[in-house]
Amino acid sequence: MKWDNSILRNYGWCREITDLETKTRRGRKVAAMAENGQVIGVGTGSSSYVGLCELAKRIHEEGLRVTVIPAAGEIYLACASQGIPVTSLSAARPDWCFDGADEIGANGDVVKGRGGGLYKEKLIIAAAKKRFIIAEDKKFVDRVGAVPVPVEVFTDAIHLVTEGLVALGAASVNLRLATSKDGPVITEHGNALLDCRFEKISDGMEREIKSIPGVIDSGLFQGYNFEFVRD
């Protein structure tokens, strides 16, 4: 028995999507890679949402049979609104995944998580056999670091983690505050987010951040061999 899906019928992205034309064009390229029977991981953010919409078109127009592992609640609801079957990382391994990015370095380093999705997103990316990034041209830079690196932190460990990040060379560490609720942003896993600016992001920094007690994970990705979708 199915739910009356009327409450999600008009579900869409809650903010303006920048450079929608580019994201749609590149999202369509990613969706074209999908094959029957595949399990596909989908990250967070507007680029992931646009790519998911292109995937949904193939499902409804061509009868494509795929299953999605969503990295966050907003993508899970988007799947529900568009009739896309979902599964979990505990039940299936993604054949491949796609996601957006906040900054992409020439050496392959990627910074993600400005939208608040970190931990599950990184788990899906680590589990996937192939990883694609949909991003506008402005996201490609010589070296990452112009945007803060988000770090998901067990709430009781905020002070301990801050000290550890400063010891790693963080020039500033800020607790991310919410805009539509009181207090700080709380992730889907009940943790806080610290936004950290580093003068230089060195090789191996992702591992160093993760080694600080109290850190759940970070939005810094090093050595993941992403494939970047370009025109």
Side-chain angles (χ1 to χ4, degrees):
M1 183 175 179
K2 293 186 177 180
W3 285 106
D4 171 4
N5 205 28
S6 58
I7 194 168
L8 291 177
R9 193 159 293 140
N10 296 317
Y11 181 85
W13 198 247
C14 60
R15 297 179 296 277
E16 179 184 358
I17 298 177
T18 60
D19 203 352
L20 178 59
E21 182 179 346
T22 299
K23 290 178 179 177
T24 300
R25 190 169 59 249
R26 295 176 181 178
R28 191 173 297 127
K29 280 189 171 185
V30 165
M33 302 174 191
E35 299 177 2
N36 283 327
Q38 288 185 329
V39 177
I40 302 169
V42 179
T44 62
S46 61
S47 294
S48 295
Y49 174 75
V50 171
L52 184 74
C53 291
E54 293 302 314
L55 187 63
K57 289 179 184 178
R58 289 198 61 202
I59 290 171
H60 297 302
E61 294 173 4
E62 303 173 24
L64 178 70
R65 294 178 288 101
V66 295
T67 306
V68 164
I69 301 178
E74 66 269 18
I75 299 300
Y76 176 84
L77 289 176
C79 288
S81 72
Q82 300 187 58
I84 302 174
V86 298
T87 187
S88 66
L89 194 56
S90 59
R93 183 172 189 170
D95 293 287
W96 55 280
C97 69
F98 66 87
D99 209 334
D102 298 303
E103 208 172 34
I104 300 164
N107 63 350
D109 286 359
V110 171
V111 175
K112 297 174 42 52
R114 299 299 303 152
L118 269 80
Y119 187 46
K120 189 174 180 181
E121 193 172 63
K122 182 162 279 190
L123 291 176
I124 290 173
I125 288 171
K129 299 172 185 176
K130 298 189 76 173
R131 307 154 181 131
F132 298 94
I133 293 288
I134 303 169
E136 313 99 298
D137 291 337
K138 67 181 182 181
K139 301 293 182 66
F140 292 85
V141 297
D142 290 335
R143 293 190 65 85
V144 298
V147 301
V149 174
V151 179
E152 186 166 346
V153 177
F154 183 64
T155 306
D156 286 354
I158 286 174
H159 301 297
L160 178 64
V161 172
T162 298
E163 289 183 353
L165 291 168
V166 170
L168 285 182
S172 66
V173 180
N174 294 295
L175 177 65
R176 189 182 301 183
L177 300 179
T179 56
S180 298
K181 65 175 283 294
D182 293 336
V185 170
I186 301 298
T187 71
E188 293 186 58
H189 302 286
N191 302 306
L193 289 174
L194 298 177
D195 290 320
C196 314
R197 290 192 180 275
F198 293 91
E199 295 294 337
K200 180 182 178 183
I201 294 179
S202 58
D203 293 342
M205 182 166 281
E206 180 188 358
R207 291 191 301 273
E208 292 178 322
I209 293 173
K210 184 69 180 287
S211 70
I212 300 172
V215 168
I216 308 300
D217 223 316
S218 77
L220 177 62
F221 292 74
Q222 296 182 309
Y224 285 80
N225 297 316
F226 290 110
E227 295 184 41
F228 304 107
V229 182
R230 307 292 292 269
D231 299 327

